């Protein structure tokens, strides 16, 4: 493929929650100058011309954008499949009906745990009841519903009840994705990385649920990278299938790429077509020519593409290194040490987590 099929439109980094695993940038102040309505409409036009078929509206909390209904209507009018990725705080019936009328295709709601106390504690604010109410509205209005739960040391032991909750909500899909360690999650890694014993129990729960719910609810489970033998392919390959536009207009090959020391590309300064085709940030790790050994001679080089560039940078300081998750990486001991520490018997309490700051002003 030489054209993207998915656009992640991060409409704002403002959010009413304070999740300690949030992958948004640590420096939220750098993203206050958000794209306006007309700018986002142009981005959607250019994305469709580029070949994009799916538009994922995310953040932060996209419901904080007062123009969300207008954005959905325009994207739908272009023929894009629209997916709202939301905490569901602010998802009132009136707002839901407006979004339904505008043509929104799908809703994904995040839930932090299986019961109110734990969920609200992890989210940093009372929100569980509103999430459940919103999920029921989604089904009443006839949308497909995905329940997304970011798993970590503090909630993974409740996985069976989490699946049960998704089943009770009549979700069409439940995504059980272990934390990816970027942004605030990286800062909180010691308190979030689960133990091997926890993961063994979780995999058994997932296998049983997938068998029992086959044909009724898709069960998607993503292991923590640090416990894998090989890294996951970053976004299906750097600058190959997906692109992200941040609230300030920065265009990125993946949501975490703002951490890398690469030249910025911004939709306020150039078209998506030129950014996708010619910008250094998209070209730098595209394909396989950039790869060092052992990736260059590995028969998996076009399967996992050397792994995650952001993870390589965070763990080694060099975005061009083989992802240390890979057992063939010369830096693999970094990951081995982190996993050993997580299994050492010390169990950081939830109070040790550093929450993402609340920022939920108007737009």
């Amino acid at each position: 493929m030489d054209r993207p099929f998915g656009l992640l439109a991060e409409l704002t980094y403002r959010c009413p929650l304070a999740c300690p695993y949030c992958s948004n940038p640590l420096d939220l102040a750098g993203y206050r100058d958000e794209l306006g309505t007309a700018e986002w409409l142009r981005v959607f036009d250019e994305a469709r011309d580029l070949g994009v078929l799916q538009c994922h509206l995310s953040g932060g909390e996209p419901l904080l954008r007062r123009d969300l209904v207008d954005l959905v209507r325009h994207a739908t009018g272009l023929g894009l499949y629209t997916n709202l990725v939301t905490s569901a705080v602010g998802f009132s019936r009136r707002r839901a009906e407006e979004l339904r009328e505008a043509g929104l295709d799908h809703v994904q709601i995040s839930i932090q745990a299986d019961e109110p106390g734990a969920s609200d504690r992890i989210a940093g604010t009372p929100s569980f009841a509103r999430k459940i109410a919103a999920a029921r509205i989604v089904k009443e209005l006839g949308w497909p519903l995905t329940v997304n739960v970011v798993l970590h040391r503090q909630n993974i032991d409740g996985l069976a009840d989490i699946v049960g909750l998704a089943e009770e909500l009549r979700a069409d899909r439940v995504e059980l994705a272990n934390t990816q360690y970027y942004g605030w999650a990286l800062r909180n890694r010691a308190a979030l990385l689960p133990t091997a014993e926890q993961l063994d129990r979780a995999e058994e729960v997932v296998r049983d649920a997938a068998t029992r719910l086959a044909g009724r609810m898709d069960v998607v489970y993503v292991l923590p990278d640090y416990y894998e033998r090989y890294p996951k392919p970053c976004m299906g390959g750097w600058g190959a299938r997906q692109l992200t536009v941040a609230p300030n207009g920065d265009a990125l090959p993946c949501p975490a790429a703002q951490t890398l020391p690469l030249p910025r590309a911004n939709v306020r300064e150039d078209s998506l077509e030129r950014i996708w085709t010619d910008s250094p940030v998209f070209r730098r790790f595209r394909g396989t020519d950039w790869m060092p050994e052992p990736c260059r001679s590995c028969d998996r080089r076009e399967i996992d593409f050397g792994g995650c560039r952001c993870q390589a940078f965070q763990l080694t300081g060099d975005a061009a290194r083989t992802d240390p998750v890979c057992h063939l990486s010369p830096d693999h001991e970094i990951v081995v040490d982190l996993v050993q520490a997580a299994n050492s018997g010390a169990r950081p309490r939830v109070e040790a987590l550093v929450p993402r700051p609340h920022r939920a002003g108007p737009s």
Side-chain angles (χ1 to χ4, degrees), residues 227-238:
Y227 283 88
E228 296 273 31
R229 183 172 173 81
Y230 296 103
K232 300 178 182 69
C234 179
M235 308 297 290
W238 183 273

Side-chain angles (χ1 to χ4, degrees), residues 6 34 39 43 58 69 89 153 160 173-174 207 213 225 236 246 250 255 263 280-281 283 285 289 332 342 346 356 363:
E34 297 175 1
E39 291 174 307
V43 168
S58 181
V69 172
V89 176
R153 179 187 288 255
R173 175 185 173 96
V174 59
R207 282 196 301 270
L213 297 170
D225 283 4
D250 283 348
V281 67
R283 292 173 59 92
F285 299 114
D289 290 345
H332 185 59
R356 176 196 191 274
S363 175

Side-chain angles (χ1 to χ4, degrees), residues 205-281:
V205 170
V206 169
R207 282 196 301 270
D208 290 347
T211 299
R212 180 172 58 83
L213 297 170
R216 287 194 289 144
M217 184 171 74
D218 291 334
V219 179
V220 179
Y221 179 63
V222 181
L223 272 170
D225 283 4
Y226 291 9
Y227 283 88
E228 296 273 31
R229 183 172 173 81
Y230 296 103
K232 300 178 182 69
C234 179
M235 308 297 290
W238 183 273
R241 299 182 182 180
Q242 309 273 349
L243 75 159
T244 296
V245 176
N248 67 345
D250 283 348
L252 304 162
C254 80
Q258 23 69 20
T259 62
L260 302 186
L262 293 173
R264 294 298 178 95
N266 193 287
V267 298
R268 284 172 165 153
E269 301 166 3
D270 217 336
S271 69
L272 272 188
E273 170 78 36
R274 284 178 55 85
I275 290 171
W276 175 265
T277 304
D278 298 326
S279 68
V281 67

Side-chain angles (χ1 to χ4, degrees), residues 38 127 204 256 277 282 288 313 319 352:
S127 54
E204 183 176 349
T277 304
F282 275 85
T288 60
F313 177 71

Side-chain angles (χ1 to χ4, degrees), residues 16 68 94 96 107 194 211 247 272 288 296 330 339 348:
L68 179 61
R94 180 185 63 80
V107 180
T211 299
L272 272 188
T288 60
R296 183 179 293 273
V339 169

Side-chain angles (χ1 to χ4, degrees), residues 43-91:
V43 168
F44 294 164
D45 289 341
E46 293 181 2
R48 184 65 188 92
D49 291 343
L50 192 56
V52 166
L53 301 175
Q54 300 174 354
C55 180
H56 304 277
L57 303 161
S58 181
E61 177 46 68
L63 287 168
L64 290 171
R65 291 282 303 213
R66 293 174 177 170
D67 58 358
L68 179 61
V69 172
D70 294 330
L71 298 181
V72 168
R73 182 176 291 111
H74 187 79
T76 301
L78 294 171
L80 299 177
Y81 182 89
T82 50
N83 174 34
L84 179 66
V85 182
T86 177
S87 70
V89 176
F91 193 82

